[in-house]
Amino acid sequence: MGGEKRMKLKFKRILSLVLVFSMLFSMTACSSGASNTGLSDPNPQVEVENIETENIIMNENLLQFAWQCKLFKSNIMHTTDGRDVEIIDVGQPNKDAGPDFFNAKIKLEDTIWAGNVEIHTLASDWYRHHHDIDKLYDTIILHVVWKSDLNIRRSSGELIPQVELQLMDEVEDRFNSMHQSNGWIRCGALWQDIDSAFARFQLSRMVNERLYRKAEDVGKILAMNTNNWSETFYQVLLKSFGMHTNSLPFESLGKSLPLKCIAKKKDDILAVEAMLFGQAGLLSEKSIDTYERSLYQQYQFLSKMFSLKAIDTTLWKFGKMRPVNFPHVKIAQFASLAQKSNHLFSQIIRCKDLTEIQSHFDCTPSDYWHTHYRFGTVSPFSEKRITKTSINTLIINAVVPLKFAYAIKNENDEMQDDCFSLLEQIPKEDNKIVRGWEELGLRVTNAYESQALVELKTQYCDVNKCLRCNIGHHLLSQK
């Protein structure tokens, strides 16, 4: 790889790490008036309730966000009992138990107070959350609410100053527009207000988040396999063969059939297929198909040899699926890969070139499957060779996450760069999520971008984490 491209990847990895750390510390930056690159819900562990009055929808997370970023109409307010209060410092967000913000500073009448701030949608939430009997909340110097429906007191019975927070009109309008949206994403109607360069800048954070999240998943599997990387790769890869629809049964299949069993019989494709199909529960004792009956007999012998027990056959799904993606075809393809490969994990880890990695997955199942999509039913001849698109999908979902996890574990920065490079070389994925973003006007060219957009849609948009999304934050905080 040329020096210029290596420097570009190095910068991209550093930038991605900066974005991740900026996400973690963005709330502090926001409350101090600094520009932010991300936002977390102030108290993500707390269930918030939406309150709707006069066609205005409000919840506690939005109030905390507005307080944190000073998106209220004026620093000079009036308490509910008529006293003047000036907000000098909104304080620092608290992610642990206790008040929402600490080290705030206010001027109440002629006295400057320093302490903590608690925020609720309704003042009565103070009692609903039992703060009145919790001494952690005796340090509250100001109770900030959307609607004051009663006065609140400390555990000693002393009244606490309280203000109704008036958000900037445009912030409230944008939030309600997003909350009431039935579009593909909540901010879809506001997407034209987002600068395309800004949106693309966020992709670096998204793809980095996705790889770190997947690497964490790989780490959990690795721990269950007592740090056996080959076994872990085998299970991650087999799960990826199931794609989205059958990932669970393929994952179960990998856990039920140790790699060492396949390794001992790898020179015998019939034995490898017998173990895989047998463990999948897809072989029938009563079959009249000669090939299936042969596999069944093999499996009876091998299951006793290796003490194997088949998985639950009800896990497999066939509906709304192209025949080429039937579990039988995918298992046959994996059997061919397992029989052909020799120390596949070690070879993949050493590979940097996309073409070389793709070549390891270029294999064709046994001849029986060219005229069958499942046992016993003959179909017109169609070679079931693993397609290049399928190989790229396996690289995206199995190879890259595993290499990235391995790189983190071994503190190998160059291998992490290679993972980003691989995604940039692979064409974009063709799925509903990518097409949805393209309909919003976003141009997607490679898997680096499509993976970032899948992360954004599934981890933020679909679960309504608008206040934790850089783009949602950007839209709501525009003044």
Side-chain angles (χ1 to χ4, degrees):
M1 179 180 292
E4 182 179 348
K5 188 171 183 181
R6 173 60 64 192
M7 287 298 295
K8 176 184 174 184
L9 283 170
K10 192 75 172 178
F11 173 76
K12 182 174 292 183
R13 186 174 61 81
I14 294 173
L15 174 62
S16 296
L17 289 172
V18 169
L19 286 167
V20 168
F21 283 112
S22 70
M23 175 189 68
L24 295 175
F25 294 104
S26 62
M27 296 192 68
T28 301
C30 189
S31 62
S32 62
S35 61
N36 9 336
T37 54
L39 178 72
S40 297
D41 291 340
N43 286 298
Q45 74 277 14
V46 176
E47 283 290 326
V48 295
E49 181 180 359
N50 291 320
I51 305 297
E52 185 169 356
T53 306
E54 299 174 351
N55 296 322
I56 297 174
I57 298 171
M58 186 58 57
N59 70 38
E60 190 173 308
N61 284 343
L62 177 61
L63 289 173
Q64 292 174 349
F65 162 69
W67 176 262
Q68 168 201 344
C69 295
K70 301 179 182 178
L71 299 176
F72 35 83
K73 291 183 177 179
S74 174
N75 283 344
I76 307 298
M77 304 180 188
H78 301 284
T79 63
T80 53
D81 58 359
R83 290 179 287 173
D84 292 336
V85 58
E86 178 185 354
I87 310 304
I88 300 173
D89 189 335
V90 297
Q92 303 297 318
N94 176 28
K95 294 184 180 181
D96 298 318
D100 294 324
F101 291 83
F102 60 91
N103 293 338
K105 188 181 291 186
I106 65 172
K107 184 177 181 181
L108 184 62
E109 301 278 64
D110 295 323
T111 304
I112 293 179
W113 293 81
N116 301 330
V117 172
E118 180 68 8
I119 297 178
H120 287 120
T121 308
L122 300 176
S124 54
D125 291 339
W126 178 269
Y127 294 99
R128 188 162 65 90
H129 298 166
H130 307 296
H131 296 333
D132 57 312
I133 57 175
D134 188 340
K135 292 188 179 296
L136 279 175
Y137 292 85
D138 283 348
T139 57
I140 296 297
I141 59 172
L142 187 66
H143 190 218
V144 179
V145 300
W146 183 53
K147 296 294 181 184
S148 174
D149 53 347
L150 49 75
N151 293 322
I152 57 108
R153 300 175 182 272
R154 296 185 176 91
S155 61
S156 64
E158 181 184 4
L159 280 172
I160 298 177
Q162 184 167 261
V163 296
E164 288 187 343
L165 191 65
Q166 294 185 332
L167 274 59
M168 294 177 178
D169 293 336
E170 55 269 33
V171 174
E172 207 166 87
D173 290 343
R174 289 193 196 103
F175 178 79
N176 285 322
S177 173
M178 290 166 65
H179 185 87
Q180 295 169 347
S181 171
N182 292 319
W184 187 68
I185 56 173
R186 289 194 178 275
C187 64
L190 303 172
W191 193 258
Q192 67 274 11
D193 298 335
I194 302 172
D195 179 72
S196 60
F198 171 81
R200 288 189 173 278
F201 182 75
Q202 304 311 317
L203 298 186
S204 292
R205 170 189 162 187
M206 288 295 107
V207 75
N208 197 82
E209 278 189 27
R210 188 165 184 81
L211 286 184
Y212 269 95
R213 185 171 58 79
K214 287 194 168 189
E216 186 177 348
D217 292 339
V218 171
K220 293 175 183 177
I221 301 172
L222 181 67
M224 288 189 292
N225 290 322
T226 59
N227 291 323
N228 186 324
W229 281 102
S230 293
E231 190 76 27
T232 299
F233 180 51
Y234 156 67
Q235 292 179 5
V236 171
L237 183 61
L238 192 51
K239 179 181 178 179
S240 297
F241 263 82
M243 301 181 293
H244 178 72
T245 304
N246 279 306
S247 61
L248 177 59
F250 267 99
E251 180 182 20
S252 300
L253 175 57
K255 291 178 179 178
S256 73
L257 179 60
L259 178 61
K260 63 182 181 182
C261 298
I262 294 178
K264 288 180 179 179
K265 296 291 182 180
K266 71 179 300 293
D267 293 330
D268 183 353
I269 186 61
L270 195 66
V272 174
E273 283 196 16
M275 284 188 285
L276 286 166
F277 281 111
Q279 283 301 99
L282 297 176
L283 297 176
S284 173
E285 180 182 5
K286 300 178 181 179
S287 175
I288 59 173
D289 183 275
T290 304
Y291 191 73
E292 182 180 5
R293 193 164 61 247
S294 175
L295 293 180
Y296 179 82
Q297 291 170 353
Q298 277 263 28
Y299 176 68
Q300 291 304 300
F301 171 74
L302 293 169
S303 62
K304 293 177 182 177
M305 175 185 292
F306 296 119
S307 300
L308 302 176
K309 183 179 179 181
I311 67 171
D312 181 3
T313 58
T314 62
L315 294 174
W316 297 106
K317 297 177 182 178
F318 292 84
K320 298 180 180 180
M321 182 183 297
R322 295 172 59 204
V324 73
N325 291 325
F326 279 180
H328 295 78
V329 176
K330 291 298 179 182
I331 290 174
Q333 289 175 338
F334 184 84
S336 173
L337 175 64
Q339 198 263 338
K340 164 195 170 184
S341 303
N342 186 30
H343 302 295
L344 183 60
F345 168 73
S346 300
Q347 295 182 57
I348 291 296
I349 283 297
R350 288 194 297 266
C351 285
K352 296 183 179 181
D353 180 67
L354 175 61
T355 303
E356 184 181 354
I357 294 176
Q358 290 170 333
S359 68
H360 285 291
F361 295 93
D362 185 12
C363 53
T364 305
S366 53
D367 292 343
Y368 175 87
W369 296 105
H370 297 323
T371 54
H372 293 79
Y373 290 104
R374 57 200 309 173
F375 290 117
T377 304
V378 179
S379 59
F381 181 90
S382 175
E383 189 178 54
K384 303 306 188 300
R385 184 177 185 176
I386 304 179
T387 65
K388 190 170 184 179
T389 298
S390 295
I391 291 174
N392 286 340
T393 300
L394 292 173
I395 294 173
I396 292 169
N397 294 325
V399 173
V400 169
L402 190 116
K403 283 176 72 75
F404 199 75
Y406 187 84
I408 293 173
K409 187 83 169 178
N410 291 277
E411 299 181 350
N412 189 329
D413 293 348
E414 184 176 346
M415 187 176 289
Q416 289 186 48
D417 292 344
D418 292 339
C419 292
F420 291 120
S421 178
L422 284 172
L423 290 177
E424 288 182 320
Q425 295 174 62
I426 298 173
K428 69 177 182 180
E429 299 153 272
D430 182 19
N431 54 45
K432 286 183 180 180
I433 291 178
V434 174
R435 290 193 294 272
W437 287 113
E438 289 177 327
E439 288 174 7
L440 287 175
L442 210 60
R443 184 170 173 266
V444 189
T445 58
N446 56 45
Y448 182 96
E449 296 171 348
S450 63
Q451 279 287 284
L453 293 170
V454 168
E455 183 74 3
L456 178 59
K457 181 68 165 67
T458 58
Q459 302 300 312
Y460 290 86
C461 304
D462 288 350
V463 289
N464 300 323
K465 289 185 178 178
C466 303
L467 297 181
R468 298 189 68 187
C469 170
N470 278 4
I471 295 173
H473 171 275
H474 174 72
L475 287 171
L476 287 171
S477 61
Q478 286 179 332
K479 299 181 182 180

